């Protein structure tokens, strides 16, 4: 780049010299020609205004044949140069370049006088050399300043990038997810980079924390049924065990195995929904029909102990009928599970504000205000009365299914007054997009 600028300045200096020479010669010849004339006897005369040399310009008076009348050629310039009054001439002699400008003047009808101006390029160019050298020095200074600034800038940038790399390596090696990248400089791009990486680390830290909590919760939930099954196996292997005791032990083991199987199935379903591996088949769903089917199945299982009160208004949506049925089953099963035998579970369907809904209300012990923000977290259970039942996966799974369909789950509850859960789904959801998961934990 610097070389290109040097060449540009050199070319520009030569062009400036050429332009200045042409302009000065034209002006000086025209001014000096006024002082040349021819007297009555035909002789060429010049007055006091005539100048033989003005600075580096030499002036010569020639007759109409080109013969020198007055003046002298610059040193090294040939004296046999032909007349060319229509254009400026350039000749080279012994490495020197001369510029010649001829201009004629008519005196009378036939007499012609020529005034020739000659200048040596090196004489004129010397006046521009100082400016050219100053330009070269300026270019060099600017170039050095740019290099120094670039080095300083790159060091500051690389220093910040190295610090970010050290933070990233620290996270990778020590698994210290609390580390964050800090940048307090003036480079907006580096600030954006640091913020983006910190947001990524926030998400990673949250993911790892959830994974650790998930592993701990799964281990805790599996420990009890596995311990029960182990104890029953040890008991069955004991001496003097009757056939009835064997049968009882096998029944306990079967119940615990079914419990573990149900928990694993829900975990797999949640995992498929989390990572998008569950393919959602879109079809038209008649919610009253689906709710009635779920309630009839539960009624058959529970017998006369289950009291369901249904208020089913028209409500249709698009979605995966299998997943929506699981969500409704979870809500109704939870309501039945936490209701006393004499209490009624109310189930309602309908449409409002562009959404269809399935509302399930029980009259059980309710949920405290402290527990409400956490009920959609996996394995979260509220009080001891609920701790012995379920795995804490039904509500998170229901919320995930609702979100996959573009809806959500609303919860209302008061202690000793029961709870109401409402599954909201869009009337139509053909886009397949998912809303932000703001309600689920």
């Amino acid at each position: 780049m610097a070389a290109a600028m040097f060449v540009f300045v050199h070319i520009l200096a030569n062009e400036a010299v050429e332009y200045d020479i042409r302009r000065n010669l034209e002006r000086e010849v025209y001014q000096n020609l006024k002082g040349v004339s021819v007297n009555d006897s035909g002789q060429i005369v010049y007055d006091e205004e005539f100048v033989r040399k003005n600075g580096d310009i030499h002036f010569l008076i020639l007759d109409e044949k080109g013969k020198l009348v007055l003046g002298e050629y610059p040193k090294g310039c040939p004296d046999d140069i032909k007349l060319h009054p229509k254009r400026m001439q350039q000749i080279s002699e012994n490495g020197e370049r001369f510029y010649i400008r001829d201009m004629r003047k008519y005196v009378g009808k036939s007499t012609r006088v020529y005034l020739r101006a000659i200048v040596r390029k090196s004489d004129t160019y010397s006046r521009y050399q100082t400016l050219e050298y100053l330009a070269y020095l300026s270019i060099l200074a600017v170039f050095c300043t740019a290099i120094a600034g670039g080095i300083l800038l790159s060091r500051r940038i690389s220093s910040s990038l190295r610090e970010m790399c050290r933070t990233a390596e620290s996270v990778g090696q020590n698994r210290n997810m609390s580390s964050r990248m800090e940048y307090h400089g003036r480079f907006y791009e580096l600030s954006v980079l640091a913020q983006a990486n910190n947001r990524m680390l926030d998400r990673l830290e949250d993911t790892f924390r959830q994974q650790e909590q998930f592993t701990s919760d799964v281990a805790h939930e599996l420990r009890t049924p596995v311990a029960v099954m182990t104890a029953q196996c040890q008991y069955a292997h004991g001496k003097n065990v009757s056939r009835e005791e064997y049968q009882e032990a096998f029944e306990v083991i079967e119940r615990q195995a079914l419990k573990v199987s149900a928990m694993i199935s829900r975990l797999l379903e949640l995992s498929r929904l989390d990572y998008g591996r569950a393919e959602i088949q879109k079809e038209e769903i008649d919610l009253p029909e689906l709710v009635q089917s779920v309630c009839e199945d539960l009624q058959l299982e529970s017998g006369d102990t289950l009291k369901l009160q249904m208020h089913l208004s028209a409500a249709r949506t698009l979605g995966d009928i299998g997943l929506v049925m699981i969500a409704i089953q979870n809500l109704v099963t939870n309501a039945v599970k936490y209701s006393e035998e004499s209490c009624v579970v109310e189930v309602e369907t309908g449409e409002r504000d562009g959404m269809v809904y399935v509302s399930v209300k029980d009259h059980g012990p309710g949920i405290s205000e402290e527990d409400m923000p956490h009920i959609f977290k996996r394995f979260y259970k509220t009080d001891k009365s609920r701790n012995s039942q379920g795995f804490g996966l039904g509500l998170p799974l229901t919320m995930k299914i609702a979100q996959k369909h573009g809806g959500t789950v609303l919860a209302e509850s008061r202690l000793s007054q029961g709870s109401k859960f409402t599954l909201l789904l869009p009337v139509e959801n053909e886009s397949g997009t998912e809303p932000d998961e703001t309600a689920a934990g």
Side-chain angles (χ1 to χ4, degrees):
M1 182 177 179
M5 292 182 69
F6 276 118
V7 172
F8 174 74
V9 169
H10 180 71
I11 294 174
L12 187 63
N14 280 305
E15 290 294 329
V17 170
E18 295 275 349
Y19 174 77
D20 189 60
I21 289 175
R22 292 175 183 275
R23 188 188 62 173
N24 286 340
L25 284 182
E26 290 283 348
R27 185 181 65 250
E28 296 295 335
V29 170
Y30 180 77
Q31 291 291 336
N32 219 11
L33 192 60
K34 296 177 181 179
V36 180
S37 60
V38 178
N39 58 21
D40 296 338
S41 59
Q43 293 179 337
I44 299 174
V45 295
Y46 53 90
D47 56 22
E48 296 178 352
E49 296 180 0
F50 182 78
V51 179
R52 295 189 182 188
K53 185 178 180 182
N54 185 8
D56 301 321
I57 304 175
H58 294 259
F59 295 98
L60 294 80
I61 299 176
L62 306 176
D63 59 16
E64 58 186 352
K65 294 181 180 180
K67 183 178 179 181
L68 180 63
V69 176
L70 181 65
E72 60 181 10
Y73 285 92
K75 185 177 180 181
C77 180
D79 57 2
D80 57 349
I81 304 170
K82 294 182 179 180
L83 290 168
H84 286 285
K86 295 184 179 179
R87 62 180 178 85
M88 181 176 291
Q89 301 181 71
Q90 297 182 37
I91 62 170
S92 297
E93 188 74 19
N94 298 325
E96 288 283 356
R97 173 166 289 193
F98 297 90
Y99 293 86
I100 301 98
R101 181 66 174 98
D102 297 328
M103 190 173 290
R104 62 189 170 196
K105 183 176 183 180
Y106 288 93
V107 181
K109 294 182 178 180
S110 59
T111 305
R112 288 178 294 181
V113 178
Y114 291 89
L115 180 61
R116 170 171 286 174
I118 303 176
V119 65
R120 184 185 286 109
K121 183 180 179 181
S122 59
D123 294 337
T124 305
Y125 187 73
S126 62
R127 295 181 302 183
Y128 289 87
Q129 282 183 330
T130 302
L131 295 176
E132 185 177 358
Y133 293 153
L134 287 174
Y136 290 151
L137 290 175
S138 299
I139 293 172
L140 188 61
V142 171
F143 185 68
C144 292
T145 303
I147 291 177
I151 293 174
L152 180 62
L153 189 64
S154 64
R155 285 182 178 178
R156 292 183 62 182
I157 294 175
S158 60
S159 174
S160 300
L161 290 175
R162 282 195 299 269
E163 186 63 30
M164 292 181 186
C165 289
R166 280 194 292 268
T167 302
E169 290 175 358
S170 173
V171 171
Q173 294 174 358
N174 306 327
R175 296 187 179 181
N176 182 15
M177 301 304 298
S178 62
S179 298
R180 293 295 180 269
M181 297 180 181
E182 295 184 1
Y183 179 73
H184 305 290
R186 299 181 179 179
F187 298 105
Y188 174 75
E189 291 78 7
L190 290 181
S191 177
V192 170
L193 177 63
Q195 293 173 11
N197 279 282
N198 287 337
R199 286 193 295 269
M200 179 188 67
L201 290 173
D202 289 338
R203 291 193 294 270
L204 287 174
E205 183 180 15
D206 186 60
T207 301
F208 280 121
R209 189 184 299 112
Q210 290 181 5
Q211 185 180 32
E212 291 174 355
Q213 185 65 39
F214 177 78
T215 303
S216 174
D217 291 339
V218 170
H220 177 75
E221 292 295 330
L222 289 176
R223 183 183 302 158
T224 300
V226 170
V228 172
M229 287 188 287
T230 303
Q232 291 297 320
C233 289
Q234 291 174 348
Y235 175 75
H237 280 297
K239 297 179 181 179
N240 302 322
V241 180
S242 65
R243 182 179 180 85
E244 289 77 11
E245 290 173 327
Y246 269 119
Q247 183 67 31
E248 184 180 351
F250 290 151
E251 289 176 357
V252 172
I253 292 173
E254 182 183 16
R255 285 197 304 271
Q256 297 301 322
L258 290 174
K259 183 177 180 180
V260 172
S261 177
M263 181 173 64
I264 292 174
S265 296
R266 290 194 174 184
L267 286 173
L268 289 175
E269 195 66 46
L270 273 170
S271 176
R272 285 194 290 267
L273 290 173
D274 280 338
Y275 295 100
R277 293 194 294 267
E279 185 177 354
I280 298 179
Q281 302 291 338
K282 295 295 183 68
E283 55 185 309
E284 189 172 313
I285 301 175
D286 188 334
L287 285 180
E289 181 180 341
L290 195 61
V291 168
Q292 192 165 7
S293 174
V294 170
C295 291
E296 287 176 356
D297 291 341
L298 287 174
Q299 190 77 61
L300 289 174
E301 293 177 9
S302 304
D304 296 335
T305 59
L306 177 60
K307 296 182 179 180
L308 289 173
Q309 190 176 80
M310 292 183 284
H311 307 278
L312 306 181
S313 301
R316 307 181 76 86
T317 185
L318 291 175
D320 190 303
I321 190 170
L323 292 177
V324 175
M325 178 176 285
I326 291 173
I328 296 173
Q329 283 176 338
N330 288 337
L331 295 182
V332 178
T333 302
N334 275 354
V336 172
K337 190 185 300 181
Y338 302 126
S339 295
E340 297 179 0
E341 291 186 5
S342 59
C343 294
V344 177
V345 174
E346 301 176 31
V347 185
E348 181 183 353
T349 64
E351 180 179 341
R352 65 187 179 200
D353 301 328
M355 304 287 282
V356 294
Y357 66 90
V358 177
S359 175
V360 181
K361 183 178 180 181
D362 65 64
H363 299 276
I367 306 171
S368 67
E369 292 183 2
E370 293 78 10
D371 290 325
M372 283 296 291
H374 309 288
I375 59 175
F376 292 105
K377 293 181 179 179
R378 296 173 191 186
F379 295 106
Y380 186 83
K381 299 175 185 178
T382 55
D383 51 32
K384 292 182 180 180
S385 64
R386 295 188 176 219
N387 191 45
S388 60
Q389 305 183 63
F391 316 109
L393 294 174
L395 288 179
L397 179 57
T398 302
M399 176 63 81
K400 179 61 69 173
I401 291 172
Q403 290 173 340
K404 285 291 180 180
H405 286 78
T408 188
V409 179
L410 304 179
E412 305 173 40
S413 184
R414 285 188 177 184
L415 284 176
S416 304
Q417 296 184 22
S419 304
K420 179 180 179 181
F421 289 89
T422 303
L423 172 65
L424 290 174
L425 298 172
V427 174
E428 292 184 0
N429 185 31
E430 298 178 343
S431 62
T433 58
E434 298 180 29
D436 293 336
E437 299 183 6
T438 55

